[in-house]
Amino acid sequence: MIIGIGTDLANIERIARTLERFGDRFRNRVFTEVEQRKSERRRDVAGTYAKRWAAKEACSKALGTGLRMGIAWRDMGVVNLRSGQPTMELTGWAAERLAAMTPPGHRAVIHVSLTDDHPWAQAFVVIEAVPLDPPAP
């Protein structure tokens, strides 16, 4: 069952200007170390950061809170599977909120889709509750 949906659209040029103006102060406040390493290796550094920014915004909306109620930017991080597929890793209050909204007998799975077409970066996040013991066929 779907327990949360969020989307966000971020302007890549705005993120680029913010990176130029605030540099590491911005990076370290908003992005996890994993996200920074991934973004700094890419040809389109600002676009990669913008997609992750949008994913954090979308995830906070899927959690039903937006960026308030104690969720920190770094409590939500985009992590790529070996296949390259993006996923979200939650810590801190974001992880607590996810646990609270997950029905008993279920585990939460966070689906993430990222895209960009300059000057826009977009993210969709769907949180699904999957039964721990699926019914027998």
Side-chain angles (χ1 to χ4, degrees):
M1 92 182 75
I2 303 300
I3 58 174
I5 299 173
T7 185
D8 192 67
L9 186 65
N11 185 286
I12 296 169
E13 292 170 359
R14 178 175 165 245
I15 297 296
R17 286 191 304 271
T18 304
L19 287 164
E20 288 172 18
R21 183 171 180 198
F22 297 105
D24 285 342
R25 191 168 127 212
F26 173 64
R27 283 182 194 89
N28 294 330
R29 179 174 166 253
V30 175
F31 300 100
T32 66
E33 289 179 24
V34 169
E35 290 173 312
Q36 290 182 47
R37 281 195 307 269
K38 175 83 170 182
S39 298
E40 295 297 327
R41 284 195 319 256
R42 303 302 290 248
R43 184 170 38 107
D44 182 11
V45 172
T48 305
Y49 276 120
K51 285 188 280 190
R52 279 143 184 78
W53 172 280
K56 291 166 186 283
E57 289 273 9
C59 185
S60 71
K61 293 170 186 174
L63 290 169
T65 64
L67 284 163
R68 64 181 207 286
M69 297 176 59
I71 291 182
W73 287 102
R74 291 173 55 102
D75 284 348
M76 302 168 287
V78 176
V79 178
N80 294 85
L81 301 177
R82 285 168 109 14
S83 65
Q85 176 185 347
T87 62
M88 293 296 294
E89 185 175 279
L90 304 185
T91 59
W93 199 89
E96 291 173 21
R97 170 70 181 148
L98 180 62
M101 65 189 281
T102 303
H106 290 74
R107 67 180 173 85
V109 177
I110 303 175
H111 303 278
V112 180
S113 180
L114 304 175
T115 191
D116 65 294
D117 187 7
H118 196 84
W120 300 107
Q122 186 173 32
F124 288 94
V125 171
V126 176
I127 303 175
E128 177 184 18
V130 178
L132 291 174
D133 294 317

